[in-house]
PDB file of all heavy atoms in Angstrom:
ATOM      1  N   VAL N  95     110.882  80.372   2.461  1.00 97.00           N
ATOM      2  CA  VAL N  95     109.609  79.659   2.313  1.00 97.00           C
ATOM      3  C   VAL N  95     109.727  78.600   1.222  1.00 97.00           C
ATOM      4  O   VAL N  95     109.239  77.479   1.377  1.00 97.00           O
ATOM      5  CB  VAL N  95     108.459  80.649   2.033  1.00 97.00           C
ATOM      6  CG1 VAL N  95     107.139  79.892   1.819  1.00 97.00           C
ATOM      7  CG2 VAL N  95     108.305  81.643   3.179  1.00 97.00           C
ATOM      8  N   LEU N  96     110.408  78.933   0.135  1.00 95.00           N
ATOM      9  CA  LEU N  96     110.629  77.938  -0.936  1.00 95.00           C
ATOM     10  C   LEU N  96     111.451  76.757  -0.440  1.00 95.00           C
ATOM     11  O   LEU N  96     111.137  75.606  -0.739  1.00 95.00           O
ATOM     12  CB  LEU N  96     111.304  78.593  -2.136  1.00 95.00           C
ATOM     13  CG  LEU N  96     111.625  77.670  -3.309  1.00 95.00           C
ATOM     14  CD1 LEU N  96     110.336  77.053  -3.869  1.00 95.00           C
ATOM     15  CD2 LEU N  96     112.395  78.423  -4.388  1.00 95.00           C
ATOM     16  N   VAL N  97     112.489  77.019   0.342  1.00 94.00           N
ATOM     17  CA  VAL N  97     113.297  75.932   0.908  1.00 94.00           C
ATOM     18  C   VAL N  97     112.440  75.072   1.820  1.00 94.00           C
ATOM     19  O   VAL N  97     112.539  73.839   1.798  1.00 94.00           O
ATOM     20  CB  VAL N  97     114.531  76.490   1.659  1.00 94.00           C
ATOM     21  CG1 VAL N  97     115.210  75.417   2.494  1.00 94.00           C
ATOM     22  CG2 VAL N  97     115.517  77.107   0.671  1.00 94.00           C
ATOM     23  N   LEU N  98     111.562  75.693   2.619  1.00 96.00           N
ATOM     24  CA  LEU N  98     110.652  74.934   3.470  1.00 96.00           C
ATOM     25  C   LEU N  98     109.764  74.010   2.641  1.00 96.00           C
ATOM     26  O   LEU N  98     109.596  72.828   2.973  1.00 96.00           O
ATOM     27  CB  LEU N  98     109.789  75.874   4.309  1.00 96.00           C
ATOM     28  CG  LEU N  98     110.467  76.566   5.462  1.00 96.00           C
ATOM     29  CD1 LEU N  98     109.626  77.733   5.956  1.00 96.00           C
ATOM     30  CD2 LEU N  98     110.744  75.596   6.581  1.00 96.00           C
ATOM     31  N   LEU N  99     109.196  74.559   1.585  1.00 96.00           N
ATOM     32  CA  LEU N  99     108.334  73.753   0.711  1.00 96.00           C
ATOM     33  C   LEU N  99     109.108  72.607   0.061  1.00 96.00           C
ATOM     34  O   LEU N  99     108.672  71.454   0.088  1.00 96.00           O
ATOM     35  CB  LEU N  99     107.697  74.635  -0.364  1.00 96.00           C
ATOM     36  CG  LEU N  99     106.590  75.556   0.072  1.00 96.00           C
ATOM     37  CD1 LEU N  99     106.287  76.591  -0.985  1.00 96.00           C
ATOM     38  CD2 LEU N  99     105.341  74.733   0.388  1.00 96.00           C
ATOM     39  N   ALA N 100     110.277  72.929  -0.506  1.00 94.00           N
ATOM     40  CA  ALA N 100     111.069  71.918  -1.190  1.00 94.00           C
ATOM     41  C   ALA N 100     111.541  70.830  -0.209  1.00 94.00           C
ATOM     42  O   ALA N 100     111.542  69.644  -0.534  1.00 94.00           O
ATOM     43  CB  ALA N 100     112.256  72.562  -1.903  1.00 94.00           C
ATOM     44  N   SER N 101     111.918  71.246   0.981  1.00 93.00           N
ATOM     45  CA  SER N 101     112.364  70.286   1.993  1.00 93.00           C
ATOM     46  C   SER N 101     111.216  69.367   2.420  1.00 93.00           C
ATOM     47  O   SER N 101     111.383  68.160   2.569  1.00 93.00           O
ATOM     48  CB  SER N 101     112.926  71.001   3.213  1.00 93.00           C
ATOM     49  OG  SER N 101     114.086  71.736   2.865  1.00 93.00           O
ATOM     50  N   ALA N 102     110.042  69.955   2.636  1.00 94.00           N
ATOM     51  CA  ALA N 102     108.877  69.173   3.048  1.00 94.00           C
ATOM     52  C   ALA N 102     108.510  68.156   1.965  1.00 94.00           C
ATOM     53  O   ALA N 102     108.017  67.079   2.272  1.00 94.00           O
ATOM     54  CB  ALA N 102     107.696  70.091   3.351  1.00 94.00           C
ATOM     55  N   LEU N 103     108.747  68.512   0.734  1.00 92.00           N
ATOM     56  CA  LEU N 103     108.435  67.611  -0.381  1.00 92.00           C
ATOM     57  C   LEU N 103     109.584  66.655  -0.693  1.00 92.00           C
ATOM     58  O   LEU N 103     109.453  65.786  -1.571  1.00 92.00           O
ATOM     59  CB  LEU N 103     108.094  68.425  -1.632  1.00 92.00           C
ATOM     60  CG  LEU N 103     106.839  69.291  -1.532  1.00 92.00           C
ATOM     61  CD1 LEU N 103     106.741  70.242  -2.716  1.00 92.00           C
ATOM     62  CD2 LEU N 103     105.606  68.405  -1.424  1.00 92.00           C
ATOM     63  N   GLY N 104     110.705  66.819   0.008  1.00 90.00           N
ATOM     64  CA  GLY N 104     111.842  65.930  -0.198  1.00 90.00           C
ATOM     65  C   GLY N 104     112.633  66.204  -1.447  1.00 90.00           C
ATOM     66  O   GLY N 104     113.329  65.306  -1.935  1.00 90.00           O
ATOM     67  N   VAL N 105     112.560  67.416  -1.959  1.00 90.00           N
ATOM     68  CA  VAL N 105     113.269  67.720  -3.207  1.00 90.00           C
ATOM     69  C   VAL N 105     114.295  68.844  -3.049  1.00 90.00           C
ATOM     70  O   VAL N 105     114.860  69.299  -4.032  1.00 90.00           O
ATOM     71  CB  VAL N 105     112.290  68.090  -4.355  1.00 90.00           C
ATOM     72  CG1 VAL N 105     111.414  66.898  -4.687  1.00 90.00           C
ATOM     73  CG2 VAL N 105     111.453  69.305  -4.001  1.00 90.00           C
ATOM     74  N   TYR N 106     114.573  69.263  -1.820  1.00 88.00           N
ATOM     75  CA  TYR N 106     115.546  70.346  -1.619  1.00 88.00           C
ATOM     76  C   TYR N 106     116.940  69.763  -1.647  1.00 88.00           C
ATOM     77  O   TYR N 106     117.275  68.847  -0.894  1.00 88.00           O
ATOM     78  CB  TYR N 106     115.296  71.074  -0.308  1.00 88.00           C
ATOM     79  CG  TYR N 106     116.318  72.161  -0.040  1.00 88.00           C
ATOM     80  CD1 TYR N 106     116.409  73.270  -0.871  1.00 88.00           C
ATOM     81  CD2 TYR N 106     117.207  72.058   1.011  1.00 88.00           C
ATOM     82  CE1 TYR N 106     117.322  74.259  -0.646  1.00 88.00           C
ATOM     83  CE2 TYR N 106     118.141  73.066   1.246  1.00 88.00           C
ATOM     84  CZ  TYR N 106     118.206  74.146   0.415  1.00 88.00           C
ATOM     85  OH  TYR N 106     119.142  75.142   0.624  1.00 88.00           O
ATOM     86  N   ASP N 107     117.768  70.337  -2.500  1.00 81.00           N
ATOM     87  CA  ASP N 107     119.161  69.943  -2.604  1.00 81.00           C
ATOM     88  C   ASP N 107     119.967  71.223  -2.787  1.00 81.00           C
ATOM     89  O   ASP N 107     120.061  71.745  -3.899  1.00 81.00           O
ATOM     90  CB  ASP N 107     119.375  69.008  -3.797  1.00 81.00           C
ATOM     91  CG  ASP N 107     120.789  68.506  -3.906  1.00 81.00           C
ATOM     92  OD1 ASP N 107     121.530  68.548  -2.896  1.00 81.00           O
ATOM     93  OD2 ASP N 107     121.186  68.078  -4.991  1.00 81.00           O
ATOM     94  N   PRO N 108     120.551  71.743  -1.687  1.00 78.00           N
ATOM     95  CA  PRO N 108     121.295  72.990  -1.836  1.00 78.00           C
ATOM     96  C   PRO N 108     122.511  72.773  -2.727  1.00 78.00           C
ATOM     97  O   PRO N 108     123.241  71.798  -2.599  1.00 78.00           O
ATOM     98  CB  PRO N 108     121.712  73.329  -0.406  1.00 78.00           C
ATOM     99  CG  PRO N 108     121.664  72.050   0.333  1.00 78.00           C
ATOM    100  CD  PRO N 108     120.614  71.207  -0.349  1.00 78.00           C
ATOM    101  N   GLY N 109     122.688  73.680  -3.644  1.00 72.00           N
ATOM    102  CA  GLY N 109     123.840  73.626  -4.538  1.00 72.00           C
ATOM    103  C   GLY N 109     125.081  74.101  -3.818  1.00 72.00           C
ATOM    104  O   GLY N 109     125.056  74.471  -2.642  1.00 72.00           O
ATOM    105  N   GLU N 110     126.181  74.114  -4.543  1.00 65.00           N
ATOM    106  CA  GLU N 110     127.464  74.557  -3.952  1.00 65.00           C
ATOM    107  C   GLU N 110     127.377  75.990  -3.451  1.00 65.00           C
ATOM    108  O   GLU N 110     128.014  76.327  -2.452  1.00 65.00           O
ATOM    109  CB  GLU N 110     128.566  74.446  -5.004  1.00 65.00           C
ATOM    110  CG  GLU N 110     128.967  73.025  -5.306  1.00 65.00           C
ATOM    111  CD  GLU N 110     130.064  72.978  -6.341  1.00 65.00           C
ATOM    112  OE1 GLU N 110     130.858  73.956  -6.429  1.00 65.00           O
ATOM    113  OE2 GLU N 110     130.152  71.973  -7.051  1.00 65.00           O
ATOM    114  N   ASP N 111     126.645  76.838  -4.144  1.00 66.00           N
ATOM    115  CA  ASP N 111     126.583  78.254  -3.791  1.00 66.00           C
ATOM    116  C   ASP N 111     125.379  78.591  -2.895  1.00 66.00           C
ATOM    117  O   ASP N 111     125.181  79.751  -2.569  1.00 66.00           O
ATOM    118  CB  ASP N 111     126.500  79.113  -5.058  1.00 66.00           C
ATOM    119  CG  ASP N 111     127.728  78.927  -5.953  1.00 66.00           C
ATOM    120  OD1 ASP N 111     128.805  78.629  -5.412  1.00 66.00           O
ATOM    121  OD2 ASP N 111     127.595  79.075  -7.176  1.00 66.00           O
ATOM    122  N   ASP N 112     124.620  77.596  -2.508  1.00 76.00           N
ATOM    123  CA  ASP N 112     123.419  77.841  -1.717  1.00 76.00           C
ATOM    124  C   ASP N 112     123.510  77.113  -0.390  1.00 76.00           C
ATOM    125  O   ASP N 112     123.558  75.887  -0.356  1.00 76.00           O
ATOM    126  CB  ASP N 112     122.184  77.337  -2.498  1.00 76.00           C
ATOM    127  CG  ASP N 112     120.899  77.631  -1.784  1.00 76.00           C
ATOM    128  OD1 ASP N 112     120.816  78.628  -1.044  1.00 76.00           O
ATOM    129  OD2 ASP N 112     119.939  76.851  -1.963  1.00 76.00           O
ATOM    130  N   SER N 113     123.569  77.875   0.665  1.00 83.00           N
ATOM    131  CA  SER N 113     123.575  77.227   1.988  1.00 83.00           C
ATOM    132  C   SER N 113     122.151  77.252   2.512  1.00 83.00           C
ATOM    133  O   SER N 113     121.405  78.220   2.296  1.00 83.00           O
ATOM    134  CB  SER N 113     124.528  77.938   2.940  1.00 83.00           C
ATOM    135  OG  SER N 113     124.144  79.280   3.124  1.00 83.00           O
ATOM    136  N   PRO N 114     121.745  76.204   3.196  1.00 86.00           N
ATOM    137  CA  PRO N 114     120.365  76.157   3.712  1.00 86.00           C
ATOM    138  C   PRO N 114     120.172  77.256   4.772  1.00 86.00           C
ATOM    139  O   PRO N 114     121.100  77.675   5.420  1.00 86.00           O
ATOM    140  CB  PRO N 114     120.250  74.775   4.325  1.00 86.00           C
ATOM    141  CG  PRO N 114     121.625  74.254   4.462  1.00 86.00           C
ATOM    142  CD  PRO N 114     122.506  75.005   3.541  1.00 86.00           C
ATOM    143  N   PRO N 115     118.927  77.708   4.915  1.00 91.00           N
ATOM    144  CA  PRO N 115     118.647  78.714   5.944  1.00 91.00           C
ATOM    145  C   PRO N 115     118.981  78.153   7.325  1.00 91.00           C
ATOM    146  O   PRO N 115     118.868  76.960   7.567  1.00 91.00           O
ATOM    147  CB  PRO N 115     117.134  78.948   5.818  1.00 91.00           C
ATOM    148  CG  PRO N 115     116.766  78.420   4.484  1.00 91.00           C
ATOM    149  CD  PRO N 115     117.749  77.352   4.150  1.00 91.00           C
ATOM    150  N   ASP N 116     119.387  79.049   8.210  1.00 93.00           N
ATOM    151  CA  ASP N 116     119.729  78.609   9.569  1.00 93.00           C
ATOM    152  C   ASP N 116     118.455  78.287  10.359  1.00 93.00           C
ATOM    153  O   ASP N 116     117.360  78.651   9.940  1.00 93.00           O
ATOM    154  CB  ASP N 116     120.583  79.639  10.276  1.00 93.00           C
ATOM    155  CG  ASP N 116     119.884  80.970  10.505  1.00 93.00           C
ATOM    156  OD1 ASP N 116     118.647  81.026  10.601  1.00 93.00           O
ATOM    157  OD2 ASP N 116     120.595  81.991  10.615  1.00 93.00           O
TER     158      ASP N 116
END
Side-chain angles (χ1 to χ4, degrees):
V95 178
L96 179 60
V97 168
L98 286 165
L99 286 166
S101 296
L103 296 170
V105 296
Y106 178 65
D107 183 21
E110 288 180 27
D111 299 332
D112 183 30
S113 60
D116 64 27

